Amino acid sequence: MPHKKPGVVANVVRGCLGNLVEWYDWFVYASFSIYFAASFFPEGNLTAQLLSTAVVFAVGFLMRPLGGWLLGLYADRFGRRAALTLSVTLMSFGSLTIAITPGYASIGLLAPVILVVARLAQGLSVGGEFGSSATYLSEIATPGRRGFYSSFQYVSITVGQLAALLVMIVMQSLLTEAQMYAWGWRIPFVLGALAGLVVMYLRRSMMESEHFQRFLTDGSPSRGGLRVLLRSHRRQVLAVLGLAIGGTVAFYTFTSYLQKYMVNTAGIPKPTASLIGFAALFLFIFMQPVAGALSDRFGRRPVMFGFSVGGMLLTVPIMTLVGRTGNPWIAFLLMITALVFLSGYTALSAIIKAEMFPTNVRALGVGLPHALATAVFGGLSEPIALALKQAGHESVFFWWVTGCIGLTFVATLVVREPSRGSSLEVSALPARDSVVQ
């Protein structure tokens, strides 16, 4: 008796589980760096050790455009399933390597060298995961509900972030600080590697998208690649860059930096700020499918306008008020307000970009410009904020975020409604330009 093909929901879950594991691993590094910094770098000033781990973290960001290019090209040549399996394998390799590498005291300079190699692999993985995952979820989704199903990409990203935070909270309650520094920090990396192996097995058995299958069997399919992308789809690439710049800066500002801002500027205690962040991000999960479903009903552009207009009008007031309040409830409500309009970008981040490109360059077209925007603008958000605070001009950062969101507003203005006449609905081969001429 033939096996029944897995349905859309099953394949969405398999695609998202990999995303969850990848982002769990990505955030685990940032969360636990305070504990493993001393293991990989020479004894001395703790700040210098933390700075060293932060530099290695930045190296991972810089690898993301390369991952977006290589794994995007791989996905367009060999299939979405193959690329997604490869990306989670790279991430698991990086986590396992970090978990088992002896410290500086045992192997000297080889320890930080191995750490850098592991982060290079993880940077490639995360850079390639977004485009491949966005493409796969958009292609396998039910027509008319593509916004809803593809919105689960950011559900999995947020759950991965929360999972890393939850593991840290649990371990801090179970282990002493000395145990965390000695060996406890290795546990979350082992968990990430094991989870990655499970997802790798699940992804090997998930269904390839029909768009890619049709692309392979349709006569003489047009080969993709960077040259084809830049020659035939320059406007779409620029549109994805514009959409991603404001979205990724807002994402890192309101999901990550805002919690540190509550502590450093508003004076809210660290445990309280962590609780506020955890609760707000938990609610943020449920905003994604709602915003995705709204885009199926009313179109991508109206929802994206909701994010960009709301972001331009509210970022400065929200950040100013958070910085001046010491009331946790007010800070929580302000963070939720920011996340409500942010969901207008995150829920659509996959689908609005995937609908702009034909099958032969879709993963590359989504992944490469998104990774460039994330590496340059997203990666610099926190350093810029801290540098401006150090210089006594913290409010300038709020306007910088507003300006970046303004670029998303401009990109939304020039993009035609992607859900109408999309190549996802019409054909697996090149469709009309989805950007105003």
Side-chain angles (χ1 to χ4, degrees):
M1 189 178 198
H3 291 288
K4 184 180 178 182
K5 276 187 177 181
V8 172
V9 174
N11 283 290
V12 167
V13 169
R14 292 177 184 182
C16 287
L17 279 176
N19 226 359
L20 189 160
V21 170
E22 296 222 16
W23 285 94
Y24 162 85
D25 286 329
W26 187 257
F27 286 114
V28 154
Y29 181 97
S31 301
F32 284 84
S33 61
I34 191 170
Y35 293 112
F36 67 74
S39 294
F40 285 95
F41 297 97
E43 289 184 14
N45 188 291
L46 177 60
T47 301
Q49 292 172 336
L50 290 174
L51 181 59
S52 298
T53 59
V55 169
V56 177
F57 185 75
V59 167
F61 260 101
L62 294 176
M63 289 300 291
R64 289 171 73 162
L66 183 60
W69 170 44
L70 293 177
L71 284 176
L73 185 63
Y74 188 82
D76 288 331
R77 293 282 176 88
F78 302 103
R80 317 326 188 186
R81 180 178 61 187
L84 288 170
T85 302
L86 177 58
S87 68
V88 78
T89 303
L90 284 171
M91 183 59 78
S92 297
F93 164 79
S95 291
L96 184 60
T97 299
I98 294 172
I100 65 174
T101 299
Y104 183 89
S106 300
I107 59 175
L109 286 175
L110 194 56
V113 169
I114 294 174
L115 179 65
V116 170
V117 171
R119 287 302 290 175
L120 291 177
Q122 291 187 322
L124 280 172
S125 172
V126 170
E129 172 75 15
F130 184 90
S132 301
S133 176
T135 297
Y136 182 74
L137 292 175
S138 300
E139 288 180 347
I140 66 165
T142 306
R145 301 195 72 193
R146 296 191 192 278
F148 172 77
Y149 281 115
S150 62
S151 71
F152 282 87
Q153 182 179 41
Y154 263 89
V155 169
S156 59
I157 289 174
T158 307
V159 172
Q161 188 174 359
L162 288 177
L165 181 58
L166 184 61
V167 168
M168 186 172 197
I169 292 171
V170 170
M171 290 189 61
Q172 285 174 333
S173 66
L174 295 178
L175 301 179
T176 65
E177 191 160 331
Q179 290 172 326
M180 289 290 289
Y181 278 101
W183 52 267
W185 62 265
R186 297 182 185 272
I187 294 175
F189 289 103
V190 172
L191 293 176
L194 292 175
L197 291 175
V198 173
V199 172
M200 183 175 64
Y201 172 77
L202 292 174
R203 282 186 164 179
R204 285 169 60 88
S205 61
M206 71 185 185
M207 179 180 67
E208 181 59 87
S209 82
E210 290 185 11
H211 280 265
F212 186 76
Q213 291 176 331
R214 186 164 65 245
F215 165 69
L216 289 180
T217 58
D218 192 359
S220 301
S222 171
R223 301 288 281 179
L226 189 59
R227 184 179 299 176
V228 173
L229 180 71
L230 296 179
R231 184 179 67 238
S232 304
H233 308 284
R234 288 189 297 272
R235 293 175 183 271
Q236 290 97 319
V237 169
L238 290 174
V240 171
L241 273 171
L243 292 170
I245 286 171
T248 193
V249 168
F251 178 75
Y252 282 103
T253 297
F254 294 121
T255 66
S256 179
Y257 176 69
L258 188 59
Q259 296 176 56
K260 298 173 185 176
Y261 176 70
M262 290 179 192
V263 175
N264 293 335
T265 300
I268 295 174
K270 285 182 181 179
T272 304
S274 297
L275 186 59
I276 290 171
F278 189 93
L281 288 174
F282 181 78
L283 294 177
F284 185 55
I285 292 170
F286 300 97
M287 299 177 196
Q288 307 309 305
V290 173
L294 287 174
S295 78
D296 288 329
R297 179 75 179 271
F298 301 106
R300 317 298 183 211
R301 293 178 77 223
V303 178
M304 191 64 75
F305 274 130
F307 157 69
S308 55
V309 174
M312 289 189 296
L313 293 176
L314 296 176
T315 294
V316 173
I318 285 175
M319 296 298 289
T320 302
L321 289 171
V322 169
R324 292 177 180 175
T325 185
N327 188 313
W329 287 104
I330 294 177
F332 172 72
L333 290 174
L334 289 168
M335 185 173 182
I336 286 293
T337 302
L339 294 181
V340 166
F341 71 75
L342 177 61
S343 66
Y345 167 78
T346 53
L348 274 62
S349 183
I351 187 65
I352 196 171
K353 297 165 187 172
E355 286 175 326
M356 294 185 193
F357 299 96
T359 305
N360 63 323
V361 292
R362 184 171 291 130
L364 181 62
V366 174
L368 179 57
H370 178 89
L372 282 169
T374 302
V376 176
F377 290 87
L380 288 176
S381 293
E382 189 168 321
I384 288 175
L386 294 173
L388 288 170
K389 179 177 175 61
Q390 187 79 10
H393 302 291
E394 191 167 26
S395 63
V396 175
F397 174 69
F398 314 157
W399 291 103
W400 185 78
V401 175
T402 301
C404 291
I405 296 174
L407 294 177
T408 298
F409 175 76
V410 173
T412 308
L413 278 178
V414 302
V415 172
R416 292 191 182 107
E417 175 51 54
S419 62
R420 299 194 183 100
S422 162
S423 61
L424 284 170
E425 308 297 349
V426 179
S427 162
L429 296 177
R432 64 177 177 83
D433 198 340
S434 58
V435 180
V436 173
Q437 302 292 333

